Amino acid sequence: MHLTQELEVYSDHKVTQLLFKDVKNAAELRQSAVEGKISGALISPTLVLNPFQVLVAANKAVHLQKIGKMKTRSLFSEIIFNLSPTNNISEAFKRFGISDGDSSVLVVLVHNKGNTPPLSDIVSRVNGQQVPVDDLSSLSDTAKIKKFFKITPQEEKIGTLLDAVVCRMAIKDVL
Amino acid sequence: MLLSFLVDTSRCRSLHNRLRETSLRKAEVNMSVERSMEVSQLLAKAELLKQGAEARLYRTRFLGKPVIVKERFSKRYRHPALDEKLTHRRTVQELRAILRCRKAGIPAPAVYFVDHSTHCIFLEEIVDSCTVRDHIASTQQQPRGPEQLERLAEKIGQMLAQMHDEDLIHGDLTTSNMLLKHTVDGAESQLLLIDFGLSYISALAEDKGVDLYVLEKAFLSTHPNTEVLFERLLRSYTKASKKSEPVIKKLDEVRLRGRKRSMVG
Ligand SMILES: Nc1ncnc2c1ncn2[C@@H]1O[C@H](COP(=O)(O)OP(=O)(O)OP(=O)(O)O)[C@@H](O)[C@H]1O
Ligand SMILES: [Mg+2]
């Protein structure tokens, strides 16, 4: 169900993603994250097309943390910020962080290679149905993604929507 | 390539002047910038594809996908602070140009990750591709080669017309900086532009004309007996670009200047 990927650049780090739908306690989950009871990023899947998009954001967050150049206060908020195509932090949280009324949530954990992440703890906290992470695309909204990321029709002709999205995330600091 | 060399150094010199007062002092204070060790460690294990004058290219995997890492390295003869600025600038120019191209529907590899501390760009690997340079060299030998290349020359002309209509100047047009991605089931192969480190934005016909002149020089010296083929490329450019007339006029002027220069030595 969950998806774990090694960060090749930071090879002692792994990223694990868990996806839930029909979530009834988004407000409570958000509160738990604020209080540090959940050590992970809680993401609203609407503008997230594919797990790779999250990996790109997580890799960049770990990178910026290592070189001391994060724009936000924690690794998890940095992941959320990196998902956005703009440099507006509050907009990024609004669009990509979970809101109290959300009915689906993507949980992103960053852990050491040797450590097993607290999967069962996360699963027990979420009042909802866990689904395979590859189902992300069925919970996201392609039309909204194209609009928010300003993807042009010409761009879609020469490559995938995912590449168009990821490119903006990777380059946004120098635009 | 003599001309691109001249163009490049003159640009560096003016850049040098502009940067000198402001950035040297700033960068000196900033010399203790943190560098990412991890990227260097990954590259030490990766396959080195090419060692150029400005950059090394590696093949590796990133988040499960095949990528090409382009690492720009420092030039020892330059002042370290200036060098850092110039290398960063090249990286930024390359990134902006890639996005500008892609937005306009001009194929260029996607960017997955940038490490500005080591000047590394992680690019989508264009798998099953070869440079246009290698393709022309091998196709020229074949019996029906010349006809096949005509179609390619036209596609290159159209792509460059589109790029110039976006006011993007590539700055280093050669057949090594174009890739052909082979497709299965015999569909037409895709043409992509790469290597945008010297690119910039300009609407001036002069800049576009010089861009084409750089390509012409490189093309004709790399690929013998291709004058007719290059003519075809230019004709397709002329047809496809909305603003080609003044560009071709400038190209003619630059050619003339080039010839005069070579006559005086
Ligand atoms: N995304 C890619 N996918 C596949 N091959 C690539 C890709 N990018 C580059 N290459 C290969 O690497 C070669 C060199 O790349 P590039 O032209 O970007 O570097 P360079 O010429 O060394 O750069 P510079 O001119 O900035 O020093 C290309 O000719 C091509 O064969
Ligand atoms: Mg090159």
Side-chain angles (χ1 to χ4, degrees), chain A residues 5-12 52 55-57 59-60 63 66-69 150 152 154-160 162-164 166-168 170-171 173-175, chain B residues 33-36 38-39 42 45 61-65 88 92 95-96 98-99 101-117 122 124 190:
Chain A
Q5 166 75 42
E6 177 200 54
L7 298 182
E8 293 91 338
V9 180
Y10 303 97
S11 54
D12 49 341
F52 182 68
L55 291 174
V56 167
N59 175 77
K60 186 173 176 179
H63 166 69
K66 291 258 174 186
I67 63 168
K69 289 201 169 163
K150 300 198 174 85
T152 64
Q154 302 95 287
E155 192 172 359
E156 277 191 86
K157 278 193 209 129
I158 56 136
T160 63
L162 179 61
D163 277 348
V166 163
C167 235
R168 282 166 176 72
I171 299 179
D173 356 26
V174 296
L175 292 184
Chain B
V33 190
E34 289 273 355
R35 272 176 182 272
S36 166
E38 290 84 354
V39 170
L42 178 77
K45 286 181 286 174
R61 292 189 79 80
F62 177 72
L63 306 175
K65 290 188 197 272
H88 181 71
V92 169
L95 296 171
R96 288 181 183 159
I98 287 175
L99 190 59
C101 276
R102 293 179 55 91
K103 279 184 178 172
I106 303 160
V111 178
Y112 293 149
F113 173 50
V114 186
D115 178 1
H116 289 288
S117 74
F122 287 57
E124 160 198 12
Q190 191 186 30

Side-chain angles (χ1 to χ4, degrees), chain B residues 129-142:
Chain B
S129 70
C130 69
T131 62
V132 166
R133 177 189 178 132
D134 290 346
H135 179 77
I136 293 179
S138 63
T139 311
Q140 263 189 321
Q141 319 286 317
Q142 292 164 14

Side-chain angles (χ1 to χ4, degrees), chain A residues 19 21 45 48-49 131-142:
Chain A
L19 183 61
K21 66 174 188 183
V48 183
L49 190 63
V131 293
V133 178
D134 284 321
D135 287 0
L136 250 182
S137 61
S138 68
L139 295 176
S140 56
D141 185 330
T142 314

